[in-house]
Amino acid sequence: MGYPARHILGRSGRLYSAYLPPATYRITQELDPFKNHILSIHRHLASTIESAIENKSHAAIALSLILGDRNTLDQEMIETYSKIGIIYLFYRDWE
């Protein structure tokens, strides 16, 4: 039996999942149970949004606004929102 899937929110803001087969891993530190729970909620919300909104562009906007996951916004969307002056809705730290 392998180690269960772990979900990690990377620096890019994307949620990653991994499964490690037996004898290929070494646990060096347990995740904080609270953080693990928050990541689980984030993963569930992202999955729900993506399955509820069929249009990929609309789902990308929802993910960005609701969960802060800006990685699904394509370059054309970013440029369009920059031109009309509302890019700050997606990037709080926009420069």
Coordinates of all heavy atoms in Angstrom, one line a residue:
M1 N 0.8 -1.2 0.0 CA 0.0 0.0 0.0 C 0.9 1.2 0.0 O 1.8 1.4 0.8 CB -0.9 0.0 1.2 CG -1.8 1.2 1.3 SD -2.9 0.9 2.7 CE -3.9 2.3 2.6
G2 N 0.6 2.1 -0.9 CA 1.5 3.3 -1.0 C 1.0 4.5 -0.1 O 0.0 4.4 0.6
Y3 N 1.7 5.5 -0.1 CA 1.4 6.7 0.6 C 0.2 7.4 -0.1 O 0.1 7.5 -1.3 CB 2.6 7.6 0.6 CG 2.5 8.7 1.7 CD1 2.6 8.4 3.0 CD2 2.2 10.0 1.3 CE1 2.5 9.5 3.9 CE2 2.1 11.0 2.2 CZ 2.3 10.7 3.5 OH 2.2 11.7 4.5
P4 N -0.8 7.8 0.7 CA -2.0 8.4 0.0 C -1.6 9.7 -0.7 O -0.6 10.3 -0.5 CB -2.9 8.7 1.2 CG -2.1 8.7 2.4 CD -0.9 7.9 2.1
A5 N -2.5 10.1 -1.6 CA -2.3 11.3 -2.4 C -2.2 12.5 -1.5 O -2.9 12.6 -0.5 CB -3.4 11.5 -3.4
R6 N -1.2 13.4 -1.7 CA -1.1 14.6 -1.0 C -1.4 15.7 -1.9 O -1.0 15.7 -3.1 CB 0.4 14.8 -0.5 CG 0.7 14.0 0.7 CD -0.1 14.5 1.9 NE 0.5 13.9 3.1 CZ 0.1 14.2 4.3 NH1 -1.0 14.9 4.4 NH2 0.6 13.6 5.3
H7 N -2.0 16.8 -1.4 CA -2.3 17.9 -2.2 C -1.5 19.1 -1.7 O -1.5 19.4 -0.6 CB -3.8 18.2 -2.2 CG -4.6 17.0 -2.6 ND1 -4.8 16.8 -4.0 CD2 -5.2 16.0 -2.0 CE1 -5.5 15.6 -4.1 NE2 -5.7 15.2 -2.9
I8 N -0.8 19.7 -2.7 CA 0.1 20.8 -2.3 C -0.2 22.0 -3.2 O -0.3 21.9 -4.4 CB 1.6 20.4 -2.6 CG1 1.9 19.1 -1.8 CG2 2.5 21.5 -2.3 CD1 3.1 18.4 -2.3
L9 N -0.3 23.2 -2.5 CA -0.5 24.4 -3.2 C 0.8 25.0 -3.5 O 1.5 25.4 -2.6 CB -1.4 25.4 -2.4 CG -1.8 26.6 -3.1 CD1 -2.7 26.3 -4.2 CD2 -2.6 27.5 -2.1
G10 N 1.3 24.9 -4.8 CA 2.6 25.4 -5.1 C 2.7 26.9 -5.2 O 1.7 27.6 -5.0
R11 N 3.9 27.4 -5.4 CA 4.1 28.8 -5.4 C 3.3 29.4 -6.6 O 3.0 30.6 -6.5 CB 5.6 29.1 -5.7 CG 6.4 28.9 -4.4 CD 7.9 29.2 -4.7 NE 8.6 29.1 -3.5 CZ 9.3 30.1 -3.0 NH1 9.4 31.2 -3.6 NH2 10.0 29.9 -1.9
S12 N 3.1 28.7 -7.6 CA 2.3 29.2 -8.7 C 0.8 29.4 -8.4 O 0.1 30.0 -9.2 CB 2.5 28.3 -9.9 OG 1.9 27.0 -9.7
G13 N 0.4 28.8 -7.3 CA -1.0 28.9 -7.0 C -1.8 27.7 -7.4 O -3.0 27.6 -7.2
R14 N -1.2 26.8 -8.1 CA -1.9 25.6 -8.6 C -1.8 24.5 -7.5 O -0.9 24.4 -6.8 CB -1.2 25.1 -9.9 CG -1.4 25.9 -11.1 CD -0.9 25.2 -12.3 NE -1.1 26.0 -13.4 CZ -2.0 25.8 -14.4 NH1 -2.8 24.8 -14.3 NH2 -2.2 26.7 -15.4
L15 N -2.9 23.8 -7.5 CA -3.0 22.7 -6.6 C -2.5 21.4 -7.2 O -2.9 21.0 -8.3 CB -4.5 22.5 -6.2 CG -4.8 21.6 -5.0 CD1 -4.1 22.2 -3.7 CD2 -6.2 21.6 -4.8
Y16 N -1.5 20.8 -6.6 CA -0.9 19.6 -7.2 C -1.3 18.4 -6.3 O -1.5 18.5 -5.1 CB 0.6 19.7 -7.2 CG 1.1 20.8 -8.1 CD1 1.4 22.0 -7.6 CD2 1.2 20.6 -9.5 CE1 1.8 23.0 -8.5 CE2 1.6 21.6 -10.3 CZ 1.9 22.8 -9.8 OH 2.3 23.8 -10.6
S17 N -1.3 17.2 -6.9 CA -1.6 16.0 -6.2 C -0.6 14.9 -6.7 O -0.2 14.9 -7.8 CB -3.0 15.6 -6.7 OG -3.4 14.5 -5.9
A18 N -0.2 14.1 -5.7 CA 0.8 13.1 -6.0 C 0.5 11.8 -5.3 O 0.0 11.9 -4.1 CB 2.2 13.6 -5.7
Y19 N 0.9 10.7 -5.9 CA 0.8 9.4 -5.2 C 2.1 8.8 -5.3 O 2.7 8.7 -6.3 CB -0.3 8.5 -5.9 CG -0.3 7.1 -5.3 CD1 -1.0 6.9 -4.1 CD2 0.4 6.1 -5.9 CE1 -1.0 5.7 -3.5 CE2 0.3 4.8 -5.3 CZ -0.4 4.6 -4.1 OH -0.4 3.4 -3.6
L20 N 2.6 8.3 -4.1 CA 3.9 7.7 -4.1 C 3.7 6.2 -3.8 O 3.2 5.8 -2.8 CB 4.8 8.3 -3.0 CG 5.0 9.8 -3.2 CD1 5.8 10.4 -2.0 CD2 5.8 10.1 -4.5
P21 N 4.2 5.3 -4.6 CA 4.2 3.9 -4.4 C 5.0 3.5 -3.2 O 5.9 4.3 -2.8 CB 4.7 3.2 -5.6 CG 5.2 4.3 -6.5 CD 4.8 5.6 -5.9
P22 N 4.8 2.4 -2.6 CA 5.6 2.0 -1.4 C 7.1 2.0 -1.7 O 7.6 1.8 -2.8 CB 5.1 0.5 -1.2 CG 3.9 0.4 -1.9 CD 3.9 1.4 -3.0
A23 N 7.9 2.3 -0.6 CA 9.3 2.2 -0.6 C 9.9 3.3 -1.6 O 11.1 3.2 -1.9 CB 9.8 0.8 -1.0
T24 N 9.2 4.3 -2.0 CA 9.8 5.3 -2.8 C 9.8 6.7 -2.1 O 10.1 7.7 -2.7 CB 9.1 5.5 -4.1 OG1 7.7 5.8 -3.9 CG2 9.2 4.2 -5.0
Y25 N 9.4 6.7 -0.9 CA 9.3 8.0 -0.2 C 9.9 7.9 1.3 O 10.1 6.8 1.8 CB 7.8 8.4 -0.1 CG 7.0 7.4 0.6 CD1 6.8 7.5 2.0 CD2 6.3 6.4 -0.1 CE1 6.0 6.6 2.7 CE2 5.5 5.6 0.6 CZ 5.3 5.6 2.0 OH 4.5 4.7 2.6
R26 N 10.1 9.1 1.8 CA 10.6 9.2 3.2 C 9.9 10.4 3.8 O 10.0 11.5 3.2 CB 12.1 9.3 3.3 CG 12.6 9.3 4.7 CD 14.1 9.5 4.7 NE 14.3 10.9 4.4 CZ 15.4 11.5 4.8 NH1 16.4 10.8 5.4 NH2 15.6 12.7 4.5
I27 N 9.1 10.2 4.8 CA 8.4 11.3 5.5 C 9.4 12.1 6.3 O 10.0 11.5 7.3 CB 7.2 10.8 6.3 CG1 6.2 10.1 5.4 CG2 6.5 12.0 7.0 CD1 5.1 9.4 6.1
T28 N 9.5 13.3 6.1 CA 10.4 14.2 6.9 C 9.7 15.1 7.8 O 10.2 15.5 8.8 CB 11.4 15.0 5.9 OG1 10.5 15.8 5.1 CG2 12.3 14.1 5.1
Q29 N 8.4 15.4 7.4 CA 7.7 16.3 8.3 C 6.2 16.1 8.0 O 5.8 16.1 6.8 CB 8.1 17.8 8.0 CG 7.3 18.7 8.9 CD 7.7 20.2 8.6 OE1 8.6 20.4 7.8 NE2 7.1 21.1 9.2
E30 N 5.4 16.0 9.0 CA 3.9 15.9 8.8 C 3.4 17.3 8.5 O 3.8 18.3 9.1 CB 3.3 15.4 10.0 CG 3.4 13.9 10.2 CD 2.6 13.1 9.1 OE1 1.5 13.5 8.7 OE2 3.2 12.2 8.5
L31 N 2.4 17.3 7.6 CA 1.7 18.6 7.3 C 0.8 19.0 8.5 O 0.3 18.1 9.2 CB 0.9 18.5 6.1 CG 1.6 18.3 4.8 CD1 0.6 18.2 3.6 CD2 2.5 19.5 4.5
D32 N 0.7 20.3 8.7 CA -0.1 20.8 9.8 C -1.6 20.4 9.4 O -2.0 20.6 8.3 CB 0.0 22.3 9.8 CG -0.9 23.0 10.7 OD1 -1.7 22.3 11.5 OD2 -0.9 24.2 10.8
P33 N -2.3 19.7 10.3 CA -3.7 19.3 10.0 C -4.6 20.4 9.5 O -5.4 20.2 8.7 CB -4.1 18.7 11.3 CG -2.9 18.3 12.1 CD -1.9 19.3 11.7
F34 N -4.4 21.6 10.1 CA -5.3 22.7 9.7 C -5.0 23.0 8.2 O -5.9 23.2 7.4 CB -5.0 23.9 10.6 CG -5.8 25.1 10.2 CD1 -7.2 25.1 10.4 CD2 -5.2 26.2 9.5 CE1 -8.0 26.2 10.0 CE2 -6.0 27.3 9.2 CZ -7.4 27.3 9.4
K35 N -3.7 23.1 7.9 CA -3.3 23.5 6.5 C -3.8 22.4 5.5 O -4.3 22.6 4.4 CB -1.8 23.6 6.3 CG -1.3 24.9 7.0 CD 0.2 25.0 6.8 CE 0.7 26.3 7.5 NZ 2.2 26.4 7.3
N36 N -3.7 21.1 6.0 CA -4.1 20.0 5.1 C -5.6 20.1 4.9 O -6.1 19.9 3.8 CB -3.8 18.7 5.8 CG -3.9 17.5 4.9 OD1 -3.7 17.7 3.7 ND2 -4.2 16.4 5.4
H37 N -6.4 20.5 5.9 CA -7.8 20.6 5.8 C -8.2 21.8 4.8 O -9.1 21.7 4.0 CB -8.5 20.9 7.2 CG -9.9 20.9 7.1 ND1 -10.7 19.8 6.8 CD2 -10.8 21.9 7.4 CE1 -12.0 20.2 6.9 NE2 -12.1 21.5 7.2
I38 N -7.5 22.9 5.0 CA -7.7 24.1 4.1 C -7.4 23.7 2.6 O -8.2 24.0 1.7 CB -6.9 25.3 4.5 CG1 -7.3 25.8 5.9 CG2 -6.9 26.4 3.5 CD1 -8.7 26.2 6.0
L39 N -6.3 23.0 2.4 CA -6.0 22.5 1.0 C -7.0 21.6 0.5 O -7.3 21.6 -0.7 CB -4.6 21.9 1.0 CG -3.4 22.8 1.2 CD1 -2.1 22.0 1.3 CD2 -3.3 23.9 0.2
S40 N -7.6 20.7 1.3 CA -8.6 19.8 0.9 C -9.9 20.6 0.5 O -10.5 20.3 -0.5 CB -9.0 18.9 2.0 OG -10.0 18.1 1.7
I41 N -10.2 21.6 1.2 CA -11.4 22.5 0.9 C -11.1 23.2 -0.4 O -12.0 23.3 -1.3 CB -11.7 23.5 2.0 CG1 -12.2 22.7 3.3 CG2 -12.7 24.5 1.6 CD1 -12.2 23.6 4.5
H42 N -9.9 23.7 -0.6 CA -9.5 24.5 -1.8 C -9.7 23.5 -3.0 O -10.2 23.9 -4.0 CB -8.1 25.0 -1.7 CG -7.7 25.8 -2.8 ND1 -7.2 25.3 -4.0 CD2 -7.6 27.2 -2.9 CE1 -6.9 26.3 -4.8 NE2 -7.2 27.5 -4.2
R43 N -9.1 22.3 -2.9 CA -9.2 21.3 -4.0 C -10.7 21.0 -4.3 O -11.0 21.0 -5.5 CB -8.5 20.1 -3.6 CG -8.4 19.0 -4.7 CD -7.8 17.7 -4.2 NE -8.7 17.0 -3.3 CZ -8.5 16.8 -2.0 NH1 -7.4 17.2 -1.4 NH2 -9.4 16.1 -1.3
H44 N -11.5 20.8 -3.3 CA -12.9 20.5 -3.5 C -13.6 21.7 -4.2 O -14.4 21.5 -5.2 CB -13.6 20.2 -2.2 CG -15.1 20.0 -2.3 ND1 -15.6 18.8 -2.9 CD2 -16.1 20.7 -2.0 CE1 -16.9 18.9 -2.9 NE2 -17.2 20.0 -2.4
L45 N -13.4 22.9 -3.8 CA -14.0 24.1 -4.4 C -13.6 24.2 -5.8 O -14.4 24.5 -6.7 CB -13.7 25.4 -3.6 CG -14.3 25.5 -2.2 CD1 -13.8 26.7 -1.5 CD2 -15.8 25.6 -2.4
A46 N -12.3 24.1 -6.1 CA -11.8 24.2 -7.5 C -12.4 23.1 -8.4 O -12.8 23.4 -9.5 CB -10.2 24.1 -7.5
S47 N -12.5 21.9 -7.9 CA -13.1 20.9 -8.7 C -14.6 21.2 -8.9 O -15.1 20.9 -10.0 CB -13.0 19.5 -7.9 OG -13.7 18.5 -8.6
T48 N -15.3 21.7 -7.9 CA -16.7 22.0 -8.1 C -16.9 23.1 -9.1 O -17.8 23.0 -10.0 CB -17.3 22.4 -6.7 OG1 -17.1 21.3 -5.8 CG2 -18.8 22.8 -6.8
I49 N -16.1 24.1 -9.0 CA -16.2 25.2 -10.0 C -15.9 24.8 -11.4 O -16.7 25.1 -12.3 CB -15.2 26.4 -9.6 CG1 -15.7 27.1 -8.3 CG2 -15.1 27.4 -10.7 CD1 -14.6 28.0 -7.7
E50 N -14.9 24.0 -11.6 CA -14.5 23.5 -12.9 C -15.6 22.6 -13.5 O -15.9 22.6 -14.7 CB -13.2 22.8 -12.9 CG -12.0 23.7 -12.7 CD -10.7 23.0 -12.5 OE1 -10.7 21.9 -12.1 OE2 -9.7 23.7 -12.8
S51 N -16.3 21.8 -12.7 CA -17.3 20.9 -13.2 C -18.6 21.6 -13.4 O -19.4 21.2 -14.2 CB -17.5 19.7 -12.3 OG -17.9 20.1 -11.0
A52 N -18.9 22.7 -12.6 CA -20.2 23.4 -12.7 C -20.2 24.4 -13.9 O -21.3 24.7 -14.4 CB -20.4 24.1 -11.4
I53 N -19.0 24.9 -14.3 CA -19.0 25.9 -15.4 C -18.3 25.2 -16.6 O -17.1 24.9 -16.6 CB -18.2 27.1 -14.9 CG1 -18.8 27.7 -13.6 CG2 -18.1 28.1 -16.0 CD1 -18.0 28.8 -13.0
E54 N -19.1 25.0 -17.6 CA -18.7 24.3 -18.8 C -17.7 25.1 -19.6 O -16.7 24.6 -20.1 CB -19.9 23.9 -19.7 CG -20.7 22.8 -19.1 CD -21.9 22.5 -19.9 OE1 -21.9 22.7 -21.1 OE2 -22.8 21.9 -19.4
N55 N -17.9 26.4 -19.7 CA -17.0 27.3 -20.5 C -15.7 27.4 -19.8 O -15.7 27.9 -18.6 CB -17.7 28.6 -20.8 CG -16.9 29.5 -21.6 OD1 -15.8 29.9 -21.3 ND2 -17.5 29.9 -22.7
K56 N -14.6 27.0 -20.4 CA -13.3 27.1 -19.7 C -12.9 28.5 -19.4 O -12.3 28.7 -18.3 CB -12.2 26.4 -20.6 CG -12.4 25.0 -20.9 CD -12.0 24.1 -19.8 CE -12.0 22.7 -20.2 NZ -12.1 21.8 -19.0
S57 N -13.2 29.5 -20.2 CA -12.8 30.8 -19.9 C -13.6 31.4 -18.7 O -13.0 32.0 -17.8 CB -13.1 31.8 -21.1 OG -12.3 31.4 -22.2
H58 N -14.9 31.0 -18.6 CA -15.7 31.4 -17.5 C -15.2 30.8 -16.2 O -15.2 31.4 -15.1 CB -17.1 31.2 -17.7 CG -17.7 31.9 -18.9 ND1 -18.9 31.7 -19.4 CD2 -17.2 33.0 -19.6 CE1 -19.2 32.5 -20.4 NE2 -18.1 33.3 -20.5
A59 N -14.8 29.5 -16.3 CA -14.3 28.8 -15.2 C -13.0 29.4 -14.7 O -12.8 29.5 -13.5 CB -14.1 27.3 -15.5
A60 N -12.2 29.8 -15.6 CA -10.9 30.4 -15.3 C -11.1 31.7 -14.5 O -10.4 32.0 -13.5 CB -10.1 30.7 -16.5
I61 N -12.1 32.5 -14.9 CA -12.4 33.8 -14.3 C -12.9 33.5 -12.9 O -12.5 34.1 -11.9 CB -13.5 34.6 -15.1 CG1 -12.8 35.1 -16.4 CG2 -14.0 35.7 -14.3 CD1 -13.8 35.6 -17.4
A62 N -13.8 32.5 -12.7 CA -14.4 32.1 -11.4 C -13.3 31.7 -10.5 O -13.2 32.1 -9.3 CB -15.5 31.1 -11.6
L63 N -12.4 30.8 -11.0 CA -11.3 30.3 -10.1 C -10.4 31.4 -9.7 O -9.9 31.5 -8.5 CB -10.4 29.3 -10.9 CG -11.1 27.9 -11.1 CD1 -10.3 27.1 -12.1 CD2 -11.2 27.2 -9.8
S64 N -10.1 32.4 -10.6 CA -9.3 33.5 -10.2 C -9.9 34.4 -9.2 O -9.3 34.8 -8.2 CB -9.0 34.3 -11.5 OG -8.2 35.4 -11.1
L65 N -11.2 34.7 -9.4 CA -11.9 35.6 -8.4 C -12.2 35.0 -7.1 O -12.1 35.6 -6.1 CB -13.2 36.2 -9.1 CG -13.0 37.1 -10.3 CD1 -14.4 37.4 -10.9 CD2 -12.3 38.4 -9.9
I66 N -12.6 33.7 -7.1 CA -13.1 33.1 -5.9 C -11.9 32.5 -5.1 O -11.8 32.7 -3.9 CB -14.1 32.0 -6.2 CG1 -15.4 32.6 -6.8 CG2 -14.5 31.2 -5.0 CD1 -16.4 31.7 -7.4
L67 N -11.0 31.8 -5.8 CA -9.9 31.1 -5.1 C -8.5 31.8 -5.3 O -7.6 31.3 -4.6 CB -9.9 29.7 -5.6 CG -11.1 28.8 -5.3 CD1 -10.9 27.4 -5.8 CD2 -11.4 28.8 -3.8
G68 N -8.5 32.8 -6.1 CA -7.2 33.4 -6.3 C -6.3 32.6 -7.2 O -5.1 32.9 -7.3
D69 N -6.8 31.6 -7.9 CA -6.0 30.8 -8.9 C -6.0 31.5 -10.2 O -6.8 31.3 -11.0 CB -6.6 29.4 -9.0 CG -5.8 28.5 -9.8 OD1 -4.8 28.9 -10.4 OD2 -6.2 27.3 -10.0
R70 N -4.9 32.2 -10.5 CA -4.8 33.0 -11.7 C -4.1 32.2 -12.8 O -4.0 32.7 -13.9 CB -4.0 34.3 -11.4 CG -4.7 35.2 -10.4 CD -3.9 36.4 -10.1 NE -2.6 36.1 -9.5 CZ -2.2 36.4 -8.3 NH1 -3.0 37.0 -7.5 NH2 -1.0 36.1 -7.9
N71 N -3.7 31.1 -12.5 CA -2.9 30.3 -13.5 C -3.8 29.8 -14.7 O -3.2 29.4 -15.7 CB -2.2 29.1 -12.9 CG -1.2 29.6 -11.9 OD1 -0.4 30.4 -12.2 ND2 -1.3 29.1 -10.7
T72 N -5.1 29.8 -14.5 CA -5.9 29.3 -15.6 C -6.3 30.4 -16.6 O -6.9 30.2 -17.6 CB -7.2 28.6 -15.1 OG1 -7.9 29.6 -14.2 CG2 -6.9 27.4 -14.3
L73 N -6.0 31.7 -16.2 CA -6.3 32.8 -17.1 C -5.3 32.8 -18.2 O -4.0 32.7 -18.0 CB -6.1 34.1 -16.4 CG -7.2 34.4 -15.3 CD1 -6.8 35.7 -14.5 CD2 -8.6 34.6 -15.9
D74 N -5.7 32.8 -19.5 CA -4.8 32.8 -20.6 C -4.3 34.3 -20.9 O -4.9 35.2 -20.4 CB -5.4 32.2 -21.8 CG -6.6 32.9 -22.4 OD1 -6.7 34.1 -22.3 OD2 -7.4 32.2 -23.0
Q75 N -3.2 34.4 -21.6 CA -2.6 35.7 -21.9 C -3.6 36.6 -22.5 O -3.6 37.8 -22.2 CB -1.4 35.5 -22.7 CG -0.5 36.7 -22.9 CD 0.0 37.2 -21.5 OE1 0.3 36.4 -20.6 NE2 0.1 38.5 -21.3
E76 N -4.4 36.2 -23.4 CA -5.4 37.0 -24.1 C -6.3 37.7 -23.1 O -6.7 38.8 -23.2 CB -6.1 36.3 -25.2 CG -7.1 37.1 -26.0 CD -7.8 36.3 -27.0 OE1 -7.4 35.2 -27.4 OE2 -8.9 36.8 -27.5
M77 N -6.8 36.9 -22.2 CA -7.7 37.4 -21.1 C -7.0 38.4 -20.3 O -7.6 39.5 -20.0 CB -8.2 36.2 -20.2 CG -9.1 35.3 -20.9 SD -9.5 33.8 -19.9 CE -10.6 34.5 -18.7
I78 N -5.8 38.2 -19.9 CA -5.0 39.1 -19.1 C -4.9 40.4 -19.8 O -5.1 41.5 -19.3 CB -3.7 38.5 -18.7 CG1 -3.9 37.3 -17.7 CG2 -2.8 39.6 -18.1 CD1 -2.6 36.5 -17.5
E79 N -4.5 40.4 -21.1 CA -4.3 41.6 -21.9 C -5.7 42.3 -22.1 O -5.7 43.6 -22.0 CB -3.8 41.2 -23.3 CG -2.3 40.8 -23.2 CD -1.8 40.2 -24.6 OE1 -2.5 40.4 -25.6 OE2 -0.7 39.7 -24.6
T80 N -6.7 41.6 -22.3 CA -8.1 42.3 -22.4 C -8.4 43.0 -21.1 O -8.9 44.2 -21.1 CB -9.1 41.2 -22.8 OG1 -8.8 40.6 -24.0 CG2 -10.5 41.9 -22.9
Y81 N -8.3 42.3 -20.0 CA -8.6 42.9 -18.7 C -7.7 44.1 -18.4 O -8.1 45.0 -17.7 CB -8.7 41.9 -17.6 CG -9.9 40.9 -17.8 CD1 -9.6 39.6 -17.8 CD2 -11.1 41.4 -18.1 CE1 -10.7 38.7 -18.0 CE2 -12.2 40.5 -18.3 CZ -12.0 39.2 -18.2 OH -13.0 38.3 -18.5
S82 N -6.5 44.0 -18.8 CA -5.5 45.1 -18.6 C -6.0 46.3 -19.4 O -6.0 47.5 -18.9 CB -4.1 44.7 -19.1 OG -3.6 43.8 -18.2
K83 N -6.4 46.1 -20.7 CA -6.8 47.2 -21.6 C -8.0 47.9 -21.0 O -8.1 49.2 -21.1 CB -7.1 46.7 -23.0 CG -5.8 46.4 -23.7 CD -6.1 45.8 -25.1 CE -4.9 45.3 -25.8 NZ -5.2 44.7 -27.1
I84 N -9.0 47.2 -20.5 CA -10.2 47.8 -20.0 C -10.1 48.3 -18.5 O -11.0 48.9 -18.0 CB -11.5 47.0 -20.2 CG1 -11.3 45.6 -19.4 CG2 -11.7 46.7 -21.7 CD1 -12.6 44.8 -19.5
G85 N -8.9 48.0 -17.9 CA -8.6 48.6 -16.6 C -9.2 47.9 -15.4 O -9.4 48.5 -14.4
I86 N -9.5 46.6 -15.6 CA -10.0 45.8 -14.4 C -9.1 44.7 -14.0 O -9.5 43.8 -13.3 CB -11.4 45.3 -14.6 CG1 -11.5 44.4 -15.8 CG2 -12.4 46.5 -14.8 CD1 -12.8 43.7 -15.9
I87 N -7.8 44.7 -14.5 CA -6.9 43.6 -14.1 C -6.7 43.5 -12.6 O -6.4 42.4 -12.1 CB -5.6 43.7 -14.9 CG1 -4.8 42.4 -14.8 CG2 -4.8 44.9 -14.4 CD1 -5.4 41.2 -15.6
Y88 N -6.9 44.6 -11.9 CA -6.6 44.6 -10.5 C -7.6 43.6 -9.8 O -7.3 43.2 -8.6 CB -6.8 46.0 -9.9 CG -8.2 46.5 -10.0 CD1 -9.1 46.3 -9.0 CD2 -8.6 47.3 -11.1 CE1 -10.4 46.8 -9.1 CE2 -9.9 47.8 -11.2 CZ -10.8 47.5 -10.2 OH -12.0 48.0 -10.3
L89 N -8.7 43.3 -10.4 CA -9.6 42.3 -9.8 C -9.0 40.9 -9.7 O -9.3 40.2 -8.8 CB -10.9 42.2 -10.6 CG -11.8 43.5 -10.6 CD1 -12.9 43.3 -11.6 CD2 -12.3 43.8 -9.2
F90 N -8.1 40.6 -10.6 CA -7.4 39.3 -10.6 C -6.1 39.3 -10.0 O -5.6 38.3 -9.5 CB -7.3 38.9 -12.1 CG -8.6 38.8 -12.8 CD1 -9.0 39.9 -13.6 CD2 -9.5 37.7 -12.6 CE1 -10.3 39.8 -14.2 CE2 -10.7 37.7 -13.3 CZ -11.1 38.7 -14.1
Y91 N -5.4 40.5 -10.0 CA -4.0 40.6 -9.4 C -4.0 41.7 -8.4 O -3.9 42.9 -8.8 CB -3.0 40.9 -10.6 CG -2.8 39.8 -11.5 CD1 -3.6 39.6 -12.7 CD2 -1.8 38.9 -11.3 CE1 -3.4 38.6 -13.6 CE2 -1.6 37.8 -12.2 CZ -2.4 37.7 -13.3 OH -2.2 36.7 -14.2
R92 N -4.0 41.3 -7.2 CA -4.0 42.3 -6.1 C -2.6 43.0 -6.1 O -2.5 44.1 -5.7 CB -4.3 41.7 -4.8 CG -5.7 41.4 -4.6 CD -6.0 40.8 -3.3 NE -7.0 39.7 -3.5 CZ -6.8 38.4 -3.2 NH1 -5.7 38.1 -2.6 NH2 -7.7 37.5 -3.5
D93 N -1.6 42.2 -6.5 CA -0.2 42.7 -6.4 C 0.3 43.1 -7.8 O 1.5 43.1 -8.1 CB 0.7 41.7 -5.8 CG 0.7 40.3 -6.5 OD1 -0.2 40.1 -7.3 OD2 1.5 39.5 -6.2
W94 N -0.6 43.5 -8.7 CA -0.3 43.8 -10.1 C 0.6 45.1 -10.1 O 0.3 46.0 -9.4 CB -1.6 44.1 -10.9 CG -1.3 44.3 -12.3 CD1 -1.3 45.5 -12.9 CD2 -1.1 43.4 -13.3 NE1 -1.1 45.4 -14.3 CE2 -0.9 44.0 -14.5 CE3 -1.0 42.0 -13.3 CZ2 -0.7 43.4 -15.7 CZ3 -0.8 41.3 -14.5 CH2 -0.6 42.0 -15.7
E95 N 1.6 45.1 -10.9 CA 2.5 46.2 -11.0 C 2.5 46.7 -12.4 O 2.5 46.0 -13.3 CB 3.9 45.8 -10.6 CG 4.0 45.5 -9.1 CD 5.4 45.1 -8.7 OE1 6.3 45.6 -9.3 OE2 5.5 44.5 -7.6

